[in-house]
Coordinates of all heavy atoms in Angstrom, one line a residue:
G43 N 2.8 -1.7 14.5 CA 2.0 -1.2 15.5 C 1.8 0.3 15.3 O 2.6 1.1 16.1
L44 N 1.0 0.8 14.5 CA 1.0 2.2 14.1 C -0.1 2.9 15.1 O -1.0 3.4 14.5 CB 0.8 2.5 12.7 CG 1.1 3.9 12.2 CD1 2.6 4.3 12.3 CD2 0.7 3.9 10.7
G45 N 0.1 3.0 16.3 CA -0.7 3.8 17.1 C -0.2 5.1 17.6 O 0.6 5.7 16.9
L46 N -0.5 5.5 18.9 CA 0.0 6.8 19.4 C 1.5 6.7 19.4 O 2.3 7.6 18.8 CB -0.4 7.0 20.8 CG 0.2 8.1 21.5 CD1 -0.1 9.5 20.9 CD2 -0.1 8.1 23.0
I47 N 2.1 5.6 20.0 CA 3.6 5.6 20.2 C 4.4 5.3 18.9 O 5.3 6.0 18.4 CB 4.0 4.5 21.2 CG1 3.4 4.9 22.6 CG2 5.4 4.3 21.4 CD1 3.9 6.3 23.2
S68 N 0.9 -3.1 10.2 CA -0.3 -3.2 11.1 C -1.2 -4.3 10.7 O -1.4 -4.7 9.5 CB -1.0 -1.8 11.1 OG -2.1 -1.9 11.8
R69 N -2.0 -4.7 11.6 CA -2.9 -5.9 11.3 C -4.2 -5.2 10.7 O -4.9 -5.9 10.0 CB -3.4 -6.6 12.5 CG -3.9 -5.7 13.6 CD -4.3 -6.3 15.0 NE -4.9 -5.3 15.8 CZ -5.5 -5.5 16.9 NH1 -5.7 -6.6 17.3 NH2 -5.9 -4.5 17.6
S70 N -4.2 -3.9 10.8 CA -5.5 -3.3 10.2 C -5.1 -2.4 9.1 O -4.4 -1.5 9.1 CB -6.2 -2.3 11.3 OG -6.7 -1.3 10.9
T73 N -5.8 1.4 9.7 CA -4.8 2.1 10.3 C -3.7 2.5 9.3 O -3.2 3.5 9.3 CB -4.1 1.2 11.4 OG1 -5.1 0.9 12.3 CG2 -3.0 1.9 12.2
S103 N 5.7 -1.3 18.3 CA 5.0 -0.5 19.4 C 3.5 -1.0 19.5 O 2.5 -0.2 19.4 CB 4.9 1.0 19.0 OG 4.7 1.2 17.7
T104 N 3.3 -2.2 19.6 CA 2.0 -2.9 19.8 C 1.9 -3.0 21.3 O 2.9 -2.8 22.1 CB 2.0 -4.3 19.1 OG1 3.0 -5.1 19.8 CG2 2.3 -4.2 17.7
P105 N 0.7 -3.4 21.7 CA 0.6 -3.7 23.3 C 1.7 -4.8 23.5 O 2.1 -5.7 22.8 CB -0.8 -4.3 23.3 CG -1.7 -3.7 22.2 CD -0.6 -3.6 21.0
V106 N 2.0 -4.8 24.9 CA 3.1 -5.6 25.3 C 2.9 -7.1 25.2 O 3.7 -7.9 24.7 CB 3.6 -5.3 26.8 CG1 4.6 -6.2 27.3 CG2 4.0 -3.8 26.8
A108 N 1.2 -8.6 23.0 CA 1.2 -8.9 21.6 C 2.6 -9.1 21.0 O 2.8 -9.6 20.0 CB 0.3 -8.1 20.7
M109 N 3.6 -8.6 21.8 CA 4.9 -8.6 21.2 C 5.5 -9.8 20.8 O 6.2 -10.0 19.7 CB 5.9 -7.7 22.0 CG 5.5 -6.2 22.0 SD 6.8 -5.2 22.5 CE 5.9 -3.7 22.6
V112 N 4.0 -10.8 17.5 CA 4.4 -9.9 16.5 C 5.9 -10.1 16.1 O 6.2 -10.1 14.8 CB 4.1 -8.5 17.0 CG1 4.9 -7.3 16.2 CG2 2.6 -8.1 17.1
G129 N 8.8 0.1 22.1 CA 8.4 1.1 23.0 C 7.4 0.7 24.1 O 6.8 1.5 24.7
G130 N 7.5 -0.6 24.4 CA 6.6 -1.3 25.4 C 6.9 -0.7 26.8 O 7.9 -0.5 27.2
S131 N 5.7 -0.6 27.6 CA 5.9 -0.1 28.8 C 6.4 -0.9 29.9 O 6.6 -0.6 31.0 CB 4.5 0.5 29.4 OG 3.9 1.3 28.4
H155 N 11.8 2.1 26.2 CA 10.5 2.6 26.7 C 10.5 4.2 26.7 O 11.1 4.8 27.6 CB 10.2 2.1 28.1 CG 8.9 2.7 28.7 ND1 8.6 2.6 30.0 CD2 7.8 3.2 28.1 CE1 7.5 3.1 30.3 NE2 6.9 3.4 29.2
P156 N 9.7 4.8 25.8 CA 9.6 6.3 25.9 C 8.7 6.7 27.1 O 7.5 6.2 27.2 CB 9.0 6.7 24.6 CG 8.2 5.5 24.1 CD 8.9 4.3 24.7
A158 N 6.6 9.0 27.5 CA 5.9 10.1 27.1 C 4.6 9.4 26.6 O 4.5 8.1 26.2 CB 6.5 10.7 25.9
G159 N 3.5 10.1 26.6 CA 2.3 9.6 26.1 C 1.2 10.6 26.4 O 1.4 11.7 26.6
K160 N 0.0 10.1 25.9 CA -1.3 10.9 26.0 C -2.4 10.1 26.5 O -2.2 8.8 26.4 CB -1.7 11.5 24.7 CG -0.6 12.4 24.1 CD -1.2 12.9 22.7 CE -0.4 13.8 22.0 NZ -0.8 14.2 20.7
S163 N -5.4 7.4 21.9 CA -4.7 6.2 21.3 C -4.8 6.4 19.8 O -5.6 7.3 19.3 CB -5.3 4.8 21.7 OG -5.3 4.7 23.0
G164 N -4.1 5.5 19.2 CA -4.3 5.4 17.6 C -3.4 6.4 17.0 O -2.8 7.4 17.4
D262 N -6.3 4.6 28.0 CA -6.9 3.5 27.3 C -6.9 2.3 28.2 O -5.9 1.7 28.6 CB -5.9 3.2 26.1 CG -6.4 2.0 25.3 OD1 -7.5 1.5 25.5 OD2 -5.7 1.6 24.3
M265 N -4.8 -0.9 27.0 CA -3.4 -0.8 27.1 C -3.1 -1.1 28.6 O -2.1 -1.8 29.0 CB -2.8 0.4 26.7 CG -1.4 0.5 26.7 SD -0.6 2.2 26.2 CE -0.6 3.0 27.8
I269 N -0.7 -3.7 30.6 CA 0.5 -3.5 31.3 C 0.3 -3.9 32.8 O 1.3 -4.6 33.3 CB 0.6 -1.9 31.4 CG1 0.9 -1.3 30.1 CG2 1.7 -1.4 32.5 CD1 1.0 0.2 29.9
Ligands
NAP801 P1 -2.3 2.4 20.5 O1 -2.3 3.8 20.2 O2 -3.5 1.7 20.9 O3 -1.6 1.6 19.4 C1 -1.3 0.2 19.5 C2 -1.0 -0.3 18.1 O4 -0.7 -1.7 18.2 C3 -2.1 -0.1 17.0 O5 -1.4 0.2 15.9 C4 -2.8 -1.5 17.0 O6 -3.1 -1.8 15.6 C5 -1.6 -2.5 17.3 N1 -2.2 -3.7 18.0 C6 -3.0 -3.7 19.1 N2 -3.2 -5.0 19.4 C7 -2.4 -5.7 18.6 C8 -2.2 -7.2 18.4 N3 -2.9 -7.9 19.3 N4 -1.3 -7.5 17.6 C9 -0.9 -6.7 16.6 N5 -1.0 -5.2 16.7 C10 -1.8 -5.0 17.7 O7 -1.2 2.2 21.7 P2 0.0 3.0 22.1 O8 -0.3 4.0 23.1 O9 0.7 3.4 20.9 O10 1.0 1.9 22.9 C11 1.8 1.1 22.1 C12 2.9 0.6 23.0 O11 3.6 1.7 23.6 C13 2.4 -0.3 24.2 O12 3.3 -1.3 24.3 C14 2.4 0.6 25.4 O13 2.8 -0.1 26.5 C15 3.6 1.6 25.0 N6 3.6 2.9 25.6 C16 2.4 3.6 25.6 C17 2.4 4.9 26.2 C18 1.1 5.6 26.2 O14 1.0 6.6 27.0 N7 0.2 5.4 25.4 C19 3.6 5.4 26.6 C20 4.7 4.6 26.5 C21 4.6 3.4 26.0 P3 -4.5 -1.5 14.9 O15 -4.5 -0.1 14.8 O16 -4.3 -2.3 13.7 O17 -5.5 -2.1 15.8

Side-chain angles (χ1 to χ4, degrees):
L44 195 63
L46 168 70
I47 294 299
S68 172
R69 54 184 184 169
S70 142
T73 300
S103 48
T104 62
V106 176
M109 286 205 187
V112 165
S131 306
H155 176 202
K160 297 181 182 176
S163 303
D262 181 10
M265 185 180 96
I269 291 172

